[in-house]
Amino acid sequence: MDGAYVRSFLHIDARDLKFSDTADGWKTSTFDVAAVAFGNNGLPVDHVQTTYTIKSKGPTFDAMLKNGFVYVLMLPIKKPGVYQYRVALRDSANGKIGTASQVIGIPDLTKL
């Protein structure tokens, strides 16, 4: 990835996701993730969205239910500045939604 970007580590409580069983014993869940950076005028300046399917089974699945898991999201930012950063996750199966937001500062990397 060229240029500046925000790398977000989203901790997801797996108990809030709906998992389906596959014929070979795997548990799967699909969710949508969207992130938007808003400028100081309140308009969106950069965004990313994706759909992800997680697959697990056995002790790994049990640990994921107990501890949750971390999803890594990358959002390219074209210009330095201060942004309001918002992230949303939606479970595709049950429609549950989770959100987070934070004010972030992106430095001018050309001046380093």
Side-chain angles (χ1 to χ4, degrees):
M1 225 178 217
D2 292 334
Y5 60 89
V6 175
R7 179 182 298 155
S8 302
F9 296 89
L10 308 177
H11 181 265
I12 298 171
D13 187 339
R15 296 171 300 179
D16 290 330
L17 298 176
K18 181 175 170 91
F19 285 86
S20 301
D21 296 316
T22 64
D24 53 357
W26 290 93
K27 307 272 191 184
T28 63
S29 180
T30 301
F31 55 89
D32 303 311
V33 179
V36 180
F38 293 90
N40 60 6
N41 59 1
L43 297 175
V45 292
D46 290 296
H47 72 280
V48 65
Q49 64 186 56
T50 187
T51 298
Y52 185 77
T53 299
I54 189 165
K55 175 171 128 171
S56 184
K57 68 178 174 179
T60 303
F61 179 74
D62 296 337
M64 190 172 62
L65 283 180
K66 180 180 177 186
N67 304 314
F69 63 96
V70 175
Y71 178 82
V72 179
L73 177 67
M74 306 284 276
L75 174 67
I77 301 284
K78 296 177 188 80
K79 293 182 179 181
V82 176
Y83 298 94
Q84 185 179 115
Y85 180 58
R86 296 183 187 175
V87 178
L89 184 141
R90 183 182 69 84
D91 183 314
S92 299
N94 66 20
K96 284 187 178 180
I97 295 172
T99 63
S101 65
Q102 184 170 344
V103 174
I104 58 172
I106 304 298
D108 186 347
L109 298 176
T110 63
K111 294 184 179 181
L112 294 178

XYZ file of all heavy atoms in Angstrom:
862
model
N 0.834 -1.163 0.000
C 0.000 0.000 0.000
C 0.893 1.246 0.000
O 1.757 1.391 0.856
C -0.843 -0.025 1.273
C -2.252 0.290 1.068
S -3.172 0.176 2.616
C -4.628 -0.484 1.925
N 0.692 2.148 -0.917
C 1.450 3.397 -0.960
C 0.695 4.498 -0.236
O -0.523 4.516 -0.215
C 1.685 3.828 -2.417
C 2.622 2.888 -3.146
O 3.442 2.244 -2.477
O 2.522 2.801 -4.391
N 1.439 5.442 0.351
C 0.811 6.559 1.035
C 0.398 6.208 2.449
O 0.676 5.131 2.959
N -0.279 7.144 3.076
C -0.722 6.959 4.462
C -1.975 6.088 4.513
O -2.772 6.064 3.574
C -1.005 8.318 5.091
N -2.113 5.391 5.605
C -3.315 4.594 5.828
C -3.508 4.403 7.318
O -2.577 4.573 8.117
C -3.254 3.241 5.109
C -2.110 2.369 5.545
C -2.239 1.480 6.603
C -0.882 2.437 4.908
C -1.190 0.682 7.003
C 0.179 1.638 5.299
C 0.010 0.770 6.356
O 1.063 -0.008 6.761
N -4.716 4.070 7.679
C -5.061 3.752 9.059
C -5.245 2.239 9.127
O -6.018 1.674 8.354
C -6.363 4.466 9.490
C -6.775 4.040 10.886
C -6.199 5.966 9.399
N -4.514 1.619 10.034
C -4.682 0.183 10.281
C -5.466 0.045 11.583
O -5.002 0.440 12.631
C -3.335 -0.519 10.407
C -3.493 -2.018 10.696
C -2.173 -2.705 10.866
N -1.435 -2.582 9.624
C -0.105 -2.630 9.560
N 0.612 -2.765 10.640
N 0.505 -2.532 8.401
N -6.659 -0.508 11.482
C -7.534 -0.668 12.645
C -7.581 -2.125 13.052
O -7.683 -3.011 12.198
C -8.956 -0.219 12.311
O -8.955 1.114 11.896
N -7.520 -2.344 14.340
C -7.673 -3.682 14.896
C -9.031 -3.716 15.595
O -9.201 -3.102 16.645
C -6.547 -3.986 15.883
C -5.197 -4.015 15.235
C -4.437 -2.860 15.114
C -4.692 -5.195 14.721
C -3.197 -2.877 14.512
C -3.448 -5.221 14.109
C -2.692 -4.069 14.007
N -9.984 -4.400 14.977
C -11.345 -4.462 15.508
C -11.511 -5.740 16.318
O -11.407 -6.843 15.765
C -12.365 -4.454 14.372
C -12.243 -3.341 13.333
C -13.288 -3.529 12.249
C -12.387 -1.985 13.985
N -11.760 -5.606 17.613
C -12.038 -6.786 18.428
C -13.518 -7.106 18.283
O -14.379 -6.267 18.564
C -11.693 -6.559 19.896
C -11.957 -7.777 20.711
N -13.132 -7.959 21.389
C -11.214 -8.889 20.917
C -13.104 -9.136 21.995
N -11.949 -9.715 21.723
N -13.805 -8.315 17.831
C -15.182 -8.724 17.563
C -15.577 -9.824 18.534
O -14.855 -10.830 18.674
C -15.327 -9.214 16.100
C -14.981 -8.054 15.157
C -16.732 -9.747 15.846
C -14.862 -8.447 13.714
N -16.690 -9.630 19.218
C -17.228 -10.638 20.116
C -17.968 -11.669 19.260
O -19.052 -11.391 18.736
C -18.166 -9.982 21.128
C -18.632 -10.944 22.210
O -18.571 -12.176 21.999
O -19.067 -10.464 23.266
N -17.388 -12.841 19.112
C -17.953 -13.878 18.232
C -19.318 -14.355 18.696
O -20.098 -14.883 17.891
C -16.983 -15.058 18.128
N -19.637 -14.148 19.966
C -20.957 -14.566 20.462
C -22.079 -13.751 19.849
O -23.236 -14.167 19.854
C -21.006 -14.459 21.987
C -20.027 -15.414 22.685
C -19.957 -15.132 24.145
N -19.510 -13.753 24.330
C -19.355 -13.178 25.513
N -19.620 -13.827 26.609
N -18.939 -11.919 25.590
N -21.750 -12.570 19.291
C -22.762 -11.726 18.657
C -22.976 -12.066 17.184
O -23.844 -11.482 16.540
C -22.372 -10.251 18.775
C -22.484 -9.749 20.202
O -23.336 -10.269 20.942
O -21.716 -8.843 20.574
N -22.177 -12.981 16.646
C -22.323 -13.391 15.245
C -23.126 -14.674 15.157
O -23.069 -15.519 16.057
C -20.949 -13.609 14.602
C -20.028 -12.395 14.526
C -18.675 -12.811 13.959
C -20.645 -11.291 13.691
N -23.842 -14.832 14.078
C -24.576 -16.082 13.835
C -23.698 -16.990 12.974
O -23.281 -16.596 11.885
C -25.900 -15.806 13.138
C -26.703 -17.063 12.879
C -28.059 -16.731 12.291
C -28.741 -17.961 11.824
N -29.570 -18.606 12.764
N -23.416 -18.168 13.479
C -22.589 -19.141 12.761
C -23.468 -20.243 12.196
O -24.428 -20.679 12.825
C -21.543 -19.746 13.698
C -20.408 -18.821 14.012
C -20.505 -17.909 15.055
C -19.254 -18.836 13.242
C -19.465 -17.047 15.337
C -18.216 -17.974 13.516
C -18.312 -17.081 14.568
N -23.111 -20.695 11.006
C -23.792 -21.809 10.353
C -22.855 -23.002 10.322
O -21.632 -22.846 10.222
C -24.171 -21.443 8.922
O -25.018 -20.318 8.910
N -23.422 -24.187 10.385
C -22.632 -25.418 10.317
C -22.494 -25.860 8.870
O -23.460 -25.798 8.103
C -23.310 -26.531 11.118
C -23.385 -26.211 12.598
O -22.376 -25.732 13.150
O -24.450 -26.457 13.204
N -21.287 -26.310 8.498
C -21.089 -26.897 7.174
C -21.040 -28.416 7.319
O -20.882 -28.950 8.418
C -19.777 -26.398 6.532
O -18.671 -26.854 7.311
C -19.751 -24.875 6.427
N -21.149 -29.106 6.200
C -21.180 -30.569 6.212
C -19.896 -31.173 6.770
O -19.927 -32.265 7.346
C -21.433 -31.092 4.797
N -18.770 -30.476 6.617
C -17.496 -31.030 7.088
C -17.107 -30.538 8.490
O -15.952 -30.666 8.903
C -16.380 -30.733 6.087
C -16.270 -29.262 5.723
O -17.094 -28.463 6.209
O -15.364 -28.905 4.966
N -18.058 -29.997 9.257
C -17.821 -29.648 10.650
C -17.355 -28.227 10.928
O -17.139 -27.859 12.079
N -17.175 -27.430 9.913
C -16.759 -26.040 10.116
C -17.949 -25.193 10.551
O -19.094 -25.475 10.192
C -16.175 -25.462 8.834
C -14.854 -26.035 8.467
C -14.628 -27.090 7.640
C -13.566 -25.599 8.914
N -13.279 -27.342 7.538
C -12.606 -26.434 8.311
C -13.135 -24.585 9.760
C -11.243 -26.284 8.541
C -11.783 -24.435 9.972
C -10.855 -25.271 9.376
N -17.661 -24.121 11.281
C -18.648 -23.102 11.631
C -18.259 -21.860 10.838
O -17.100 -21.452 10.844
C -18.585 -22.763 13.118
C -18.685 -23.968 14.026
C -20.104 -24.262 14.316
C -20.186 -25.312 15.440
N -21.549 -25.698 15.700
N -19.221 -21.259 10.129
C -18.922 -20.074 9.322
C -19.867 -18.923 9.664
O -21.021 -19.150 10.038
C -19.026 -20.357 7.804
O -20.374 -20.707 7.495
C -18.089 -21.474 7.379
N -19.335 -17.732 9.537
C -20.136 -16.527 9.720
C -19.646 -15.478 8.730
O -18.437 -15.359 8.490
C -19.996 -15.991 11.147
O -20.775 -14.828 11.320
N -20.571 -14.720 8.175
C -20.234 -13.674 7.207
C -20.684 -12.328 7.765
O -21.787 -12.210 8.300
C -20.920 -13.951 5.855
O -20.486 -15.230 5.385
C -20.567 -12.889 4.828
N -19.778 -11.337 7.649
C -20.115 -10.001 8.126
C -19.564 -8.952 7.180
O -18.603 -9.181 6.449
C -19.636 -9.763 9.561
C -18.177 -10.012 9.794
C -17.243 -9.000 9.628
C -17.736 -11.255 10.202
C -15.898 -9.220 9.859
C -16.384 -11.496 10.434
C -15.467 -10.471 10.261
N -20.212 -7.787 7.194
C -19.795 -6.634 6.396
C -19.102 -5.643 7.319
O -19.558 -5.414 8.444
C -21.007 -5.951 5.759
C -21.829 -6.894 4.907
O -21.225 -7.595 4.072
O -23.057 -6.929 5.073
N -18.013 -5.047 6.825
C -17.286 -4.021 7.575
C -17.157 -2.794 6.684
O -16.818 -2.905 5.507
C -15.879 -4.505 7.983
C -15.137 -3.423 8.747
C -15.957 -5.780 8.801
N -17.427 -1.621 7.250
C -17.266 -0.363 6.518
C -16.553 0.632 7.426
O -16.808 0.673 8.628
C -18.614 0.192 6.088
N -15.650 1.400 6.835
C -14.955 2.457 7.564
C -14.988 3.723 6.727
O -14.833 3.672 5.508
C -13.521 2.052 7.851
N -15.181 4.866 7.396
C -15.241 6.154 6.719
C -14.452 7.175 7.538
O -14.569 7.216 8.764
C -16.697 6.652 6.571
C -16.744 7.995 5.857
C -17.555 5.632 5.847
N -13.654 7.985 6.840
C -12.978 9.122 7.464
C -13.687 10.388 6.998
O -13.831 10.615 5.794
C -11.507 9.150 7.068
N -14.150 11.197 7.966
C -14.844 12.446 7.670
C -13.896 13.612 7.918
O -13.207 13.654 8.943
C -16.078 12.605 8.561
C -17.150 11.600 8.280
C -17.174 10.385 8.952
C -18.139 11.862 7.347
C -18.171 9.453 8.699
C -19.139 10.940 7.087
C -19.147 9.730 7.763
N -13.884 14.577 6.999
C -13.061 15.772 7.144
C -13.671 16.751 8.122
O -14.761 16.531 8.660
N -12.984 17.880 8.331
C -13.464 18.873 9.298
C -14.750 19.574 8.850
O -15.385 20.271 9.631
C -12.376 19.902 9.620
C -11.921 20.660 8.387
O -12.480 20.509 7.305
N -10.900 21.475 8.561
N -15.146 19.371 7.602
C -16.416 19.923 7.117
C -17.564 18.925 7.242
O -18.676 19.196 6.813
C -16.272 20.381 5.661
C -15.865 19.255 4.739
O -15.695 18.109 5.178
N -15.695 19.561 3.463
N -17.274 17.740 7.789
C -18.304 16.726 7.991
C -18.570 15.844 6.787
O -19.404 14.949 6.846
N -17.859 16.080 5.685
C -18.053 15.266 4.482
C -17.070 14.100 4.457
O -15.923 14.242 4.880
C -17.869 16.128 3.228
C -18.866 17.267 3.059
C -18.508 18.110 1.845
C -20.278 16.729 2.953
N -17.501 12.936 3.943
C -16.585 11.804 3.860
C -15.468 12.076 2.843
O -15.728 12.613 1.770
C -17.469 10.641 3.407
C -18.739 11.236 2.941
C -18.833 12.619 3.479
N -14.231 11.720 3.219
C -13.100 11.931 2.323
C -12.480 10.618 1.849
O -11.918 10.555 0.762
C -12.019 12.827 2.951
C -12.525 14.243 3.124
C -11.531 12.274 4.264
N -12.546 9.594 2.657
C -12.038 8.277 2.281
C -12.918 7.223 2.924
O -13.461 7.425 4.014
C -10.587 8.087 2.745
C -9.617 8.950 1.964
O -9.498 8.722 0.740
O -9.012 9.855 2.559
N -13.065 6.088 2.242
C -13.870 5.000 2.804
C -13.414 3.664 2.235
O -12.750 3.607 1.198
C -15.365 5.219 2.525
C -15.730 5.009 1.093
N -15.520 5.976 0.137
C -16.262 3.948 0.454
C -15.926 5.499 -1.036
N -16.377 4.274 -0.863
N -13.813 2.612 2.926
C -13.569 1.249 2.471
C -14.693 0.381 3.021
O -15.227 0.651 4.097
C -12.178 0.728 2.935
C -12.104 0.621 4.442
C -11.824 -0.586 2.277
N -15.084 -0.612 2.250
C -16.066 -1.574 2.741
C -15.747 -2.931 2.155
O -15.231 -3.036 1.031
C -17.492 -1.146 2.423
C -17.837 -1.066 0.953
C -19.223 -0.488 0.758
O -19.538 0.595 1.220
N -20.047 -1.229 0.047
N -16.040 -3.965 2.935
C -15.749 -5.320 2.496
C -16.685 -6.295 3.198
O -17.265 -5.970 4.235
C -14.273 -5.686 2.788
O -13.964 -6.943 2.221
C -13.991 -5.725 4.272
N -16.820 -7.459 2.627
C -17.550 -8.555 3.249
C -16.544 -9.657 3.546
O -15.692 -9.962 2.708
C -18.656 -9.080 2.312
O -19.579 -8.011 2.065
C -19.402 -10.245 2.920
N -16.618 -10.225 4.730
C -15.647 -11.225 5.152
C -16.381 -12.431 5.715
O -17.382 -12.286 6.427
C -14.721 -10.632 6.218
C -13.610 -11.553 6.616
C -12.503 -11.729 5.801
C -13.668 -12.261 7.808
C -11.486 -12.581 6.159
C -12.648 -13.112 8.173
C -11.556 -13.270 7.356
O -10.545 -14.125 7.703
N -15.877 -13.617 5.417
C -16.413 -14.853 5.988
C -15.333 -15.488 6.843
O -14.216 -15.713 6.371
C -16.859 -15.832 4.883
O -17.892 -15.212 4.113
C -17.378 -17.130 5.479
N -15.675 -15.741 8.093
C -14.751 -16.403 9.000
C -15.174 -17.855 9.141
O -16.371 -18.165 9.138
C -14.692 -15.685 10.365
C -13.559 -16.255 11.198
C -16.019 -15.724 11.079
C -13.195 -15.402 12.378
N -14.171 -18.732 9.260
C -14.438 -20.169 9.310
C -13.554 -20.767 10.398
O -12.353 -20.479 10.443
C -14.108 -20.736 7.933
C -14.194 -22.205 7.759
C -14.035 -22.527 6.276
C -12.975 -23.547 6.083
N -12.904 -24.060 4.725
N -14.144 -21.575 11.274
C -13.395 -22.164 12.375
C -14.095 -23.438 12.833
O -15.251 -23.673 12.492
C -13.309 -21.148 13.524
O -12.527 -21.630 14.566
N -13.377 -24.251 13.639
C -14.004 -25.430 14.212
C -13.206 -25.914 15.421
O -12.073 -25.481 15.636
C -14.163 -26.542 13.182
C -12.905 -27.184 12.675
C -13.264 -28.291 11.689
C -12.029 -28.879 11.045
N -12.370 -29.959 10.129
N -13.812 -26.799 16.187
C -13.139 -27.431 17.317
C -12.697 -26.457 18.395
O -13.374 -25.472 18.685
N -11.514 -26.717 18.996
C -11.013 -25.868 20.080
C -10.789 -24.411 19.651
O -10.940 -23.491 20.449
C -9.688 -26.517 20.481
C -9.773 -27.917 19.986
C -10.671 -27.884 18.798
N -10.441 -24.195 18.392
C -10.244 -22.830 17.896
C -11.562 -22.067 17.925
O -11.617 -20.905 18.335
C -9.658 -22.839 16.473
O -8.435 -23.575 16.487
C -9.412 -21.442 15.961
N -12.634 -22.732 17.513
C -13.952 -22.101 17.555
C -14.367 -21.808 18.992
O -14.861 -20.719 19.300
C -14.999 -22.985 16.866
C -16.381 -22.406 16.893
C -16.708 -21.332 16.082
C -17.353 -22.923 17.734
C -17.984 -20.781 16.106
C -18.630 -22.381 17.764
C -18.949 -21.312 16.946
N -14.131 -22.757 19.897
C -14.474 -22.562 21.308
C -13.720 -21.366 21.892
O -14.293 -20.551 22.616
C -14.168 -23.827 22.117
C -15.018 -25.018 21.693
O -16.109 -24.801 21.110
O -14.594 -26.156 21.929
N -12.428 -21.253 21.583
C -11.620 -20.125 22.070
C -12.107 -18.806 21.481
O -12.124 -17.768 22.162
C -10.151 -20.350 21.737
N -12.519 -18.842 20.219
C -13.016 -17.635 19.567
C -14.318 -17.171 20.236
O -14.520 -15.969 20.441
C -13.234 -17.905 18.073
C -13.520 -16.678 17.267
S -13.558 -16.993 15.508
C -14.908 -18.133 15.366
N -15.188 -18.106 20.595
C -16.420 -17.740 21.293
C -16.115 -17.158 22.678
O -16.769 -16.218 23.122
C -17.348 -18.941 21.438
C -18.127 -19.365 20.198
C -18.998 -20.566 20.511
C -18.976 -18.233 19.658
N -15.116 -17.710 23.338
C -14.765 -17.253 24.679
C -14.067 -15.891 24.666
O -14.380 -15.021 25.475
C -13.857 -18.283 25.348
C -13.441 -17.916 26.742
C -12.544 -18.964 27.336
C -12.086 -18.511 28.729
N -11.101 -19.428 29.287
N -13.128 -15.697 23.719
C -12.264 -14.524 23.732
C -12.546 -13.505 22.637
O -11.982 -12.415 22.653
C -10.797 -14.947 23.612
C -10.401 -15.913 24.691
O -10.700 -15.713 25.850
N -9.737 -16.992 24.311
N -13.347 -13.860 21.651
C -13.526 -13.016 20.484
C -12.348 -13.177 19.533
O -11.498 -14.051 19.708
N -12.285 -12.318 18.523
C -11.175 -12.351 17.578
C -10.932 -10.947 17.060
O -11.742 -10.043 17.258
C -11.442 -13.335 16.426
C -12.614 -12.978 15.557
C -12.431 -12.275 14.374
C -13.907 -13.350 15.906
C -13.510 -11.939 13.556
C -14.993 -13.026 15.110
C -14.790 -12.317 13.932
N -9.794 -10.754 16.412
C -9.412 -9.442 15.910
C -9.440 -9.454 14.388
O -8.870 -10.347 13.757
C -8.014 -9.037 16.411
C -7.563 -7.731 15.781
C -8.016 -8.927 17.935
N -10.122 -8.482 13.819
C -10.169 -8.281 12.374
C -9.345 -7.031 12.069
O -9.507 -6.005 12.719
C -11.620 -8.093 11.915
C -11.770 -7.838 10.438
C -11.766 -8.894 9.538
C -11.901 -6.545 9.948
C -11.902 -8.664 8.179
C -12.033 -6.311 8.587
C -12.034 -7.384 7.713
O -12.153 -7.162 6.373
N -8.440 -7.136 11.092
C -7.584 -6.013 10.723
C -8.153 -5.345 9.479
O -8.401 -6.008 8.468
C -6.135 -6.472 10.470
C -5.263 -5.291 10.070
C -5.577 -7.165 11.706
N -8.357 -4.033 9.565
C -8.957 -3.255 8.489
C -7.997 -2.138 8.100
O -7.471 -1.441 8.974
C -10.284 -2.661 8.977
C -11.056 -1.754 8.043
C -11.566 -2.542 6.843
C -12.208 -1.108 8.780
N -7.746 -1.972 6.822
C -6.862 -0.923 6.318
C -7.678 0.105 5.549
O -8.445 -0.244 4.660
C -5.822 -1.525 5.380
C -5.044 -2.675 5.982
S -3.822 -2.145 7.121
C -2.511 -1.782 6.012
N -7.491 1.391 5.897
C -8.164 2.488 5.210
C -7.119 3.467 4.691
O -6.448 4.126 5.478
C -9.128 3.226 6.152
C -9.781 4.481 5.573
C -10.728 4.137 4.431
C -10.509 5.257 6.651
N -6.935 3.545 3.369
C -6.003 4.542 2.826
C -6.519 5.952 3.077
O -7.711 6.212 2.993
C -5.994 4.248 1.322
C -6.648 2.927 1.149
C -7.538 2.719 2.329
N -5.606 6.857 3.417
C -5.931 8.270 3.629
C -5.062 9.077 2.664
O -3.842 9.002 2.713
C -5.661 8.713 5.076
C -6.486 7.884 6.058
C -5.902 10.192 5.244
C -7.947 8.244 6.122
N -5.698 9.840 1.784
C -4.964 10.548 0.734
C -4.237 11.797 1.220
O -3.195 12.152 0.695
C -5.912 10.900 -0.410
C -6.484 9.685 -1.105
C -7.468 10.088 -2.184
C -8.187 8.913 -2.763
N -9.292 8.437 -1.946
N -4.795 12.491 2.226
C -4.217 13.766 2.664
C -3.999 13.760 4.177
O -4.795 13.175 4.908
C -5.165 14.921 2.331
C -5.340 15.188 0.858
C -6.268 16.376 0.701
C -6.477 16.742 -0.751
N -7.359 17.891 -0.903
N -2.955 14.447 4.638
C -2.775 14.587 6.085
C -3.868 15.476 6.665
O -4.477 16.267 5.959
C -1.397 15.237 6.213
C -1.145 15.885 4.893
C -1.912 15.112 3.868
N -4.115 15.321 7.945
C -5.111 16.155 8.613
C -5.752 15.436 9.776
O -5.358 14.335 10.151
N -6.765 16.059 10.335
C -7.531 15.493 11.442
C -8.870 15.020 10.884
O -9.534 15.742 10.133
C -7.739 16.539 12.554
C -8.616 15.981 13.663
C -6.394 16.986 13.111
N -9.244 13.815 11.252
C -10.455 13.195 10.717
C -11.273 12.574 11.840
O -10.736 12.137 12.860
C -10.103 12.077 9.723
C -9.351 12.568 8.521
C -7.958 12.539 8.483
C -10.026 13.059 7.412
C -7.257 12.994 7.368
C -9.343 13.512 6.299
C -7.963 13.476 6.293
O -7.281 13.927 5.193
N -12.574 12.502 11.613
C -13.430 11.680 12.446
C -13.518 10.338 11.724
O -13.907 10.272 10.549
C -14.824 12.285 12.597
C -15.661 11.486 13.576
C -17.031 12.068 13.767
O -17.993 11.420 13.409
N -17.125 13.262 14.324
N -13.121 9.288 12.406
C -13.023 7.949 11.811
C -14.127 7.083 12.402
O -14.242 6.966 13.626
C -11.640 7.381 12.135
C -11.351 6.015 11.605
C -11.424 5.752 10.245
C -10.969 4.987 12.450
C -11.131 4.495 9.754
C -10.676 3.736 11.964
C -10.764 3.499 10.626
O -10.476 2.249 10.136
N -14.948 6.518 11.542
C -16.067 5.677 11.994
C -16.000 4.315 11.320
O -15.715 4.222 10.122
C -17.405 6.321 11.655
C -17.636 7.624 12.375
C -18.999 8.165 12.045
N -19.172 9.504 12.592
C -20.220 10.249 12.377
N -21.208 9.785 11.632
N -20.299 11.439 12.905
N -16.278 3.290 12.106
C -16.278 1.910 11.603
C -17.592 1.264 12.011
O -18.068 1.464 13.125
C -15.097 1.101 12.186
C -15.135 -0.345 11.708
C -13.769 1.742 11.828
N -18.167 0.479 11.103
C -19.387 -0.273 11.404
C -19.224 -1.708 10.918
O -18.580 -1.958 9.902
C -20.597 0.367 10.729
N -19.805 -2.625 11.672
C -19.805 -4.046 11.314
C -21.245 -4.533 11.380
O -21.979 -4.184 12.311
C -18.927 -4.820 12.308
C -18.754 -6.298 12.024
C -17.324 -6.708 12.319
C -19.731 -7.138 12.806
N -21.639 -5.309 10.380
C -23.009 -5.865 10.356
C -22.946 -7.345 10.072
O -22.313 -7.782 9.100
C -23.850 -5.185 9.273
C -25.310 -5.678 9.256
C -26.106 -5.040 8.142
N -25.686 -5.480 6.843
C -26.105 -6.606 6.243
N -26.948 -7.391 6.837
N -25.664 -6.918 5.042
N -23.564 -8.135 10.928
C -23.660 -9.576 10.709
C -24.645 -9.811 9.569
O -25.787 -9.363 9.636
C -24.134 -10.270 11.983
C -24.192 -11.782 11.856
O -24.717 -12.292 10.845
O -23.719 -12.462 12.781
N -24.211 -10.489 8.535
C -25.066 -10.706 7.359
C -26.267 -11.583 7.672
O -27.315 -11.435 7.050
C -24.243 -11.339 6.231
O -23.203 -10.491 5.855
N -26.134 -12.494 8.637
C -27.214 -13.441 8.915
C -28.280 -12.876 9.850
O -29.473 -13.058 9.613
C -26.645 -14.724 9.508
N -27.871 -12.221 10.923
C -28.872 -11.773 11.896
C -29.089 -10.259 11.900
O -29.958 -9.764 12.604
C -28.539 -12.273 13.310
C -27.270 -11.682 13.867
O -26.795 -10.645 13.427
N -26.694 -12.367 14.856
N -28.288 -9.517 11.134
C -28.477 -8.078 11.012
C -27.961 -7.250 12.176
O -28.102 -6.026 12.173
N -27.358 -7.884 13.180
C -26.813 -7.115 14.305
C -25.716 -6.184 13.808
O -24.942 -6.533 12.926
C -26.247 -8.041 15.378
C -27.277 -8.712 16.237
C -26.603 -9.468 17.369
C -27.610 -10.112 18.287
N -26.939 -10.836 19.389
N -25.661 -5.003 14.425
C -24.701 -3.976 14.011
C -23.885 -3.527 15.228
O -24.420 -3.388 16.325
C -25.432 -2.766 13.406
C -26.145 -3.170 12.123
C -24.472 -1.615 13.151
C -27.038 -2.097 11.554
N -22.599 -3.291 14.984
C -21.723 -2.706 15.991
C -20.969 -1.550 15.358
O -20.671 -1.585 14.160
N -20.692 -0.501 16.141
C -19.999 0.664 15.605
C -18.927 1.137 16.575
O -18.965 0.842 17.773
C -20.960 1.840 15.342
O -21.520 2.253 16.578
C -22.051 1.453 14.364
N -17.985 1.904 16.039
C -16.958 2.568 16.843
C -16.548 3.834 16.112
O -16.659 3.917 14.885
C -15.760 1.653 17.043
N -16.067 4.821 16.870
C -15.580 6.046 16.237
C -14.459 6.644 17.069
O -14.350 6.384 18.270
C -16.708 7.062 16.044
O -17.186 7.495 17.290
N -13.628 7.426 16.399
C -12.504 8.071 17.068
C -12.015 9.217 16.199
O -12.119 9.171 14.977
C -11.379 7.055 17.264
C -10.204 7.576 18.038
C -9.235 6.470 18.409
O -9.551 5.298 18.346
N -8.049 6.861 18.801
N -11.487 10.249 16.838
C -10.830 11.319 16.103
C -9.373 10.909 15.928
O -8.715 10.486 16.887
C -10.947 12.662 16.862
C -10.135 13.740 16.165
C -12.404 13.076 16.965
N -8.869 11.000 14.673
C -7.503 10.584 14.387
C -6.758 11.710 13.672
O -7.366 12.535 13.002
C -7.464 9.302 13.522
C -8.222 9.521 12.207
C -8.049 8.114 14.278
C -8.080 8.393 11.219
N -5.470 11.717 13.827
C -4.621 12.685 13.128
C -3.665 11.944 12.200
O -3.000 11.002 12.608
N -3.627 12.357 10.936
C -2.733 11.758 9.947
C -1.622 12.772 9.676
O -1.889 13.886 9.190
C -3.488 11.429 8.633
C -4.698 10.519 8.919
C -2.550 10.814 7.615
C -4.357 9.189 9.511
N -0.361 12.404 9.956
C 0.737 13.354 9.742
C 1.067 13.503 8.261
O 0.745 12.643 7.445
C 1.900 12.715 10.493
C 1.589 11.251 10.468
C 0.087 11.145 10.508
N 1.745 14.598 7.931
C 2.220 14.818 6.569
C 3.540 14.054 6.414
O 4.587 14.487 6.885
C 2.433 16.309 6.308
C 2.776 16.603 4.861
O 3.098 15.656 4.109
O 2.750 17.789 4.489
N 3.490 12.894 5.786
C 4.654 12.030 5.670
C 5.718 12.586 4.747
O 6.866 12.152 4.787
C 4.219 10.634 5.205
C 3.276 9.900 6.147
C 2.836 8.571 5.550
C 3.904 9.691 7.515
N 5.376 13.570 3.924
C 6.377 14.156 3.034
C 7.327 15.087 3.785
O 8.380 15.436 3.267
C 5.711 14.942 1.893
O 4.961 16.036 2.446
C 4.793 14.045 1.080
N 6.971 15.461 5.011
C 7.803 16.386 5.788
C 8.654 15.665 6.828
O 9.259 16.302 7.679
C 6.926 17.432 6.471
C 6.252 18.342 5.479
C 5.470 19.413 6.167
C 4.829 20.321 5.116
N 4.077 21.396 5.722
N 8.719 14.345 6.775
C 9.527 13.592 7.739
C 10.940 13.407 7.238
O 11.274 13.349 6.145
C 8.888 12.221 8.015
C 7.540 12.276 8.719
C 6.989 10.883 8.880
C 7.652 12.946 10.067
